[in-house]
Amino acid sequence: MKINNIRRILYKISRVLGDVNAVKRGTVGKRVGRRAAGRQTGKLLRKLFK
């Protein structure tokens, strides 16, 4: 197993744990909004520096 595969798995696990934590705290809406904003920012930056 390569390091990149392990890294990918760890990031997925951490994302799921963050979702669980947000559900426990009742901040799911905030998390969803921040994720959407992060995706849009990433797309914008990708276009700028292409």
Side-chain angles (χ1 to χ4, degrees), residues 42-50:
K43 286 181 183 179
L44 179 69
L45 288 174
R46 213 176 305 134
K47 286 181 183 177
L48 273 175
F49 293 106
K50 205 170 188 182

Side-chain angles (χ1 to χ4, degrees), residues 10-28:
L10 288 174
Y11 274 119
K12 283 183 183 181
I13 290 171
S14 67
R15 193 168 60 199
V16 169
L17 288 176
D19 291 342
V20 170
N21 194 24
V23 169
K24 281 184 182 177
R25 291 178 176 220
T27 56
V28 178

